[in-house]
């Protein structure tokens, strides 16, 4: 995890083609495999599923209407007279046989049936491409179906209130109580459907988050991408990748479904209620469209500002969190230096930048609130101003007023998706940008690796060989080693020495394939046969057993083997002292540096690699323990390369590579017995 440079300029984000492409790159793979023309096919399948759901919903609504006739024939007779695609049910007193015969002569029924069969056939034809993705399509189809049902229930409720208002106006208690019962039954049916709709949305978002996070994690840990995105590498332009794969993925998957399904709900409500609104007043309909259009333009202008501020807030929050984690990870070093005041200033500076940006954010949110409240409350006056004169002129009945206001609010809500959700859209856009750049970096690495365009060519072998190596720092600002060549036969050992900063550890990084900025070729054993011991051993989160077995090059390591290895590295009492092999502790804090280095040598004995690379792996040990460990290493018939400063290390190696820049040559390769450390 690394923080982005504070001076890094912010980009300006807009709703453009690049943003759409990044959205598709992130969203599509969950539903459809990427490839040539895959985006077009993905959108085609989305439309196909929408067609399937529309056709299925038609027959479902017809079935519900037939059931409704059994409970409240008067209400449903009035209802189907108002809805064009249910008018074949309109005549009261018809038997089920007559209604079924009408359905057989109703042309839209055949159209919906053909669409249902055709869309099912299309999905069957794509079954191989969708293999492994059946769950998400089924859940998405269920969501679309529930969205249609919820919209249909809203239409039903609008007519219930219209008939209730007319019964009140006509002082007809019998009709009033009958429709009130209809409303109660409708609520009993509607509430579970609405809850199921909301639950399914969250469930699909959870499935999607799990899949997308796992995909990014695989990319992150593939080919050491996590190393290239670390602050030690050149590619530090991707700030806080951990935050992007946790918070941004969660925001993306949750918000995308909310927005897309809210847009779908809005479209359905728009189609359903615009007809009702238009039948009441054309002036009201067109006035509403103009009112919302102007508001949407203003909301987009405010949203453009919010996108940039939201993106900056995500980055600054990540920087602040990283500063706190950095203090936690280096608490002992900071305490030794008494550097708490400097660290406090650093963390406070990061926090202050986040606060300043958040202060700007809440100012713009306040401006957005002013706009949204004014937009909301002024809109409530419009239907009264238009529908009331129509009622006074006796052009509409009393129930039409309530239904008109309800329809107006539904259409207003449908058209107001941008003005009312601009803050969510802004945050969502920032998440797309951050996830999109991370996803593109992973894809660029895959393309680069596949094309073989690396500067230093690293290939597998059963030995170490370096030929004509010129090694640069990752940012290419400095050349560390020039034209280096050597070969290490199996069971041979090499000691790399030199002054600080001459490139000793960097050479090990190049041999391990971590640094490839430069020229030349490197042949090195496969990583499954090689074990690397850094100066500060890696202590993973887990049990003592897991520490010793890491990185699991061998399976089925027995407790007796583990205890024997601990005895040989002079840690025979460690298991007893720590409470057993299955004890979990913060090992980096519990064990001293010397104990950690000896534990790392125990990993060699247990993993039994053929090759070992040691980067000052005994720097915290006394000479006696160092001798003991290297003698163990020599007894294992292992080929190894060491980096170190101590003259005593020469005794355990056959060859010495001297990288001291103050010699006549930039490097020298000597037999161990011929080499002497400079005073």
């Amino acid at each position: 995890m690394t923080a982005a440079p504070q001076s890094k300029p912010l980009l300006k984000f807009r709703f453009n083609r690049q943003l759409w492409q990044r959205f598709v790159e992130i969203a599509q793979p969950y539903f459809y495999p990427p490839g040539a023309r895959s985006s077009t096919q993905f959108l085609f399948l989305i439309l196909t599923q929408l067609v399937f759901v529309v056709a299925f919903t038609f027959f479902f609504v017809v079935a519900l209407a037939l059931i409704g006739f059994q409970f409240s024939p008067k209400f449903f007779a009035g209802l189907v007279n108002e809805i064009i695609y249910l008018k074949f049910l309109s005549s009261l007193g018809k038997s089920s046989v007559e209604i079924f015969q009408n359905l057989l002569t109703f042309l839209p029924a055949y159209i919906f049936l053909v669409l249902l069969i055709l869309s099912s056939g299309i999905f069957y034809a794509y079954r191989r491409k969708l293999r492994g993705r059946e769950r998400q399509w089924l859940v998405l189809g269920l969501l679309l179906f529930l969205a249609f049902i919820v919209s249909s229930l809203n239409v039903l409720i609008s007519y219930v209130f219209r008939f209730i208002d007319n019964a009140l106006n006509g002082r007809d208690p019998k009709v009033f109580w009958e429709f009130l019962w209809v409303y109660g039954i409708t609520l009993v049916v509607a509430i579970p459907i609405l809850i199921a709709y909301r639950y399914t949305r969250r469930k699909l978002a959870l499935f999607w988050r799990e899949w997308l996070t796992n995909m990014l994690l695989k990319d992150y840990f593939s080919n050491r991408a996590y190393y290239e995105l670390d602050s030690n590498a050149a590619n530090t332009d991707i700030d806080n990748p951990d935050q992007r794969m946790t918070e941004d993925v969660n925001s993306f998957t949750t918000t995308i479904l909310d927005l897309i399904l809210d847009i779908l709900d809005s479209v359905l409500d728009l189609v359903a209620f615009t007809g009702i609104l238009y039948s009441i007043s054309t002036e009201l309909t067109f006035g509403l469209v103009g009112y919302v259009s102007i508001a949407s333009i203003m909301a987009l202008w405010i949203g453009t500002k919010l996108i940039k501020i939201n993106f900056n807030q995500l980055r600054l929050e990540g920087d602040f969190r990283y500063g706190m984690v950095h203090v936690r990870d280096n608490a002992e070093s900071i305490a030794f230096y008494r550097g708490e005041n400097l660290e406090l200033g650093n963390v406070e500076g990061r926090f202050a930048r986040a606060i300043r940006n958040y202060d700007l954010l809440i100012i713009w949110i306040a401006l957005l609130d002013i706009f949204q409240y004014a937009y909301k409350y002024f809109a409530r006056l419009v239907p009264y101003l238009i529908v009331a004169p129509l009622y006074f002129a006796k052009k509409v009945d009393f129930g039409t007023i309530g239904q008109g206001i309800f329809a107006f609010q539904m259409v207003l809500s449908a058209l107001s998706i941008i003005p009312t959700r601009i803050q969510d859209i802004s945050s969502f856009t920032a998440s797309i940008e951050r996830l999109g750049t991370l996803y593109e970096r992973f894809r660029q690495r895959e393309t680069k690796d596949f094309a073989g365009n690396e500067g230093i060519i690293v290939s597998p072998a059963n030995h170490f060989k370096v030929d004509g190596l010129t090694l640069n720092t990752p940012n290419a600002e400095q050349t560390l080693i020039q034209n280096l060549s050597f070969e290490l036969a199996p069971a041979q050992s090499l000691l790399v020495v030199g002054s600080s900063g001459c490139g000793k550890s960097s050479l090990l990084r190049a041999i391990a394939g971590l640094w490839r900025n430069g020229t030349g070729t490197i042949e090195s054993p496969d990583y499954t046969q090689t074990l690397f011991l850094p100066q500060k051993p890696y202590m993973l989160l887990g049990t003592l057993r897991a520490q010793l077995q890491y990185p699991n090059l061998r399976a089925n390591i027995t407790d007796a083997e583990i205890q024997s290895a601990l005895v040989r590295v002079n840690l025979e009492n460690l298991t007893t002292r720590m409470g057993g092999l299955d004890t979990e502790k913060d090992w980096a804090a519990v064990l001293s540096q010397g104990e950690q280095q000896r534990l790392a040598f125990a990993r060699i004995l247990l993993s039994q690699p053929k090759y070992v690379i040691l980067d000052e792996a005994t720097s915290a040990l006394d000479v006696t323990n160092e001798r003991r460990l290297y003698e163990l290493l020599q007894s294992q018939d292992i080929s190894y390369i060491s980096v170190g400063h101590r003259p005593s290390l020469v005794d355990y190696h056959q060859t010495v590579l001297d990288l001291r820049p103050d010699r006549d040559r930039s490097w020298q390769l000597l037999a161990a017995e011929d080499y002497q450390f400079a005073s």
Side-chain angles (χ1 to χ4, degrees), residues 82-306:
E82 300 287 343
I83 301 175
I84 187 170
Y85 66 85
L86 293 179
K87 281 200 172 182
F88 67 92
L89 302 172
S90 59
S91 298
L92 274 174
K94 284 188 175 181
S95 66
S96 299
V97 175
E98 291 175 313
I99 292 174
F100 183 73
Q101 289 174 344
N102 278 356
L103 180 63
L104 292 178
T105 60
F106 189 52
L107 181 60
Y110 288 97
I111 295 175
F112 285 126
L113 181 61
V114 170
L115 291 176
L116 193 66
I117 296 172
L118 185 62
S119 56
S120 300
I122 291 172
F123 269 96
Y124 181 78
Y126 276 90
R127 66 190 183 283
R128 287 191 178 90
K129 291 236 176 174
L130 298 180
R131 187 168 296 161
R133 293 175 167 86
E134 295 87 355
R135 182 177 68 175
Q136 41 264 54
W137 283 100
L138 287 173
V139 176
L140 182 61
L142 176 62
L143 269 177
L144 293 175
F145 171 70
L146 290 174
F148 276 87
I149 296 303
V150 169
S151 180
S152 300
L153 287 171
N154 285 330
V155 172
L156 179 66
I157 289 172
S158 77
Y159 279 101
V160 170
F161 277 112
R162 176 176 177 177
F163 295 152
I164 288 175
D165 288 343
N166 282 334
L168 281 172
N169 189 51
R171 291 182 170 83
D172 188 343
K174 182 180 179 181
V175 173
F176 170 79
W177 289 111
E178 179 183 350
F179 288 147
L180 206 61
W181 273 108
V182 171
Y183 178 63
I185 295 171
T186 303
L187 285 183
V188 170
V189 174
I191 290 175
I193 292 175
L194 185 59
I195 292 173
Y197 177 52
R198 295 291 178 182
Y199 173 81
T200 308
R201 283 169 64 156
R202 296 187 182 101
K203 197 67 175 178
L204 181 57
L206 180 64
F207 290 150
W208 198 349
R209 179 190 178 186
E210 178 185 19
W211 185 91
L212 182 56
T213 301
N214 286 330
M215 183 191 73
L216 291 175
L217 285 175
K218 288 177 182 176
D219 288 335
Y220 186 61
F221 286 99
S222 175
N223 298 320
R224 299 191 181 104
Y226 61 88
Y227 179 81
E228 289 194 10
L229 294 175
D230 185 71
S231 57
N232 295 319
N235 302 317
T236 56
D237 54 312
I238 304 294
D239 65 90
N240 302 301
D242 57 306
Q243 184 188 36
R244 297 178 189 232
M245 289 184 288
T246 53
E247 296 178 14
D248 290 335
V249 166
N250 187 32
S251 174
F252 175 83
T253 54
T254 302
T255 309
I256 183 178
L257 285 176
D258 286 344
L259 284 176
I260 290 178
L261 291 171
D262 285 349
I263 290 172
L264 176 63
D265 292 343
S266 298
V267 171
L268 295 177
D269 289 341
L270 186 64
V271 172
F273 286 97
T274 298
I276 297 174
L277 200 64
Y278 188 81
S279 66
I280 296 172
S281 171
T282 55
E283 294 85 355
L284 182 60
T285 306
F286 290 114
L288 175 60
V289 172
Y291 180 75
V292 174
S293 299
I294 295 172
S296 297
I297 293 172
M298 294 179 63
L300 285 173
W301 177 76
I302 297 174
T304 303
K305 302 291 184 181
L306 283 172

Side-chain angles (χ1 to χ4, degrees), residues 1 10 17-18 47 64 100 202 244 284 324 415 454 512 562 571 605:
M1 181 173 62
L10 289 174
R17 183 178 178 84
Q18 184 185 44
L47 292 174
L64 287 182
F100 183 73
R202 296 187 182 101
R244 297 178 189 232
L284 182 60
M324 296 298 296
L415 292 174
E454 301 289 354
I562 292 175
L571 288 174
L605 301 177

Side-chain angles (χ1 to χ4, degrees), residues 10 46 109 121 194 316 371 402 406 431 551 676:
L10 289 174
I46 290 289
L194 185 59
L316 293 174
F371 163 75
F406 184 81
S431 296
Q676 289 187 354

Side-chain angles (χ1 to χ4, degrees), residues 545-561:
R545 185 193 308 276
Q547 298 295 333
L548 290 160
Q549 292 179 342
Y550 187 83
N552 298 320
L553 298 183
R554 278 182 62 219
N556 303 320
I557 299 175
T558 65
D559 290 0
E561 289 179 288

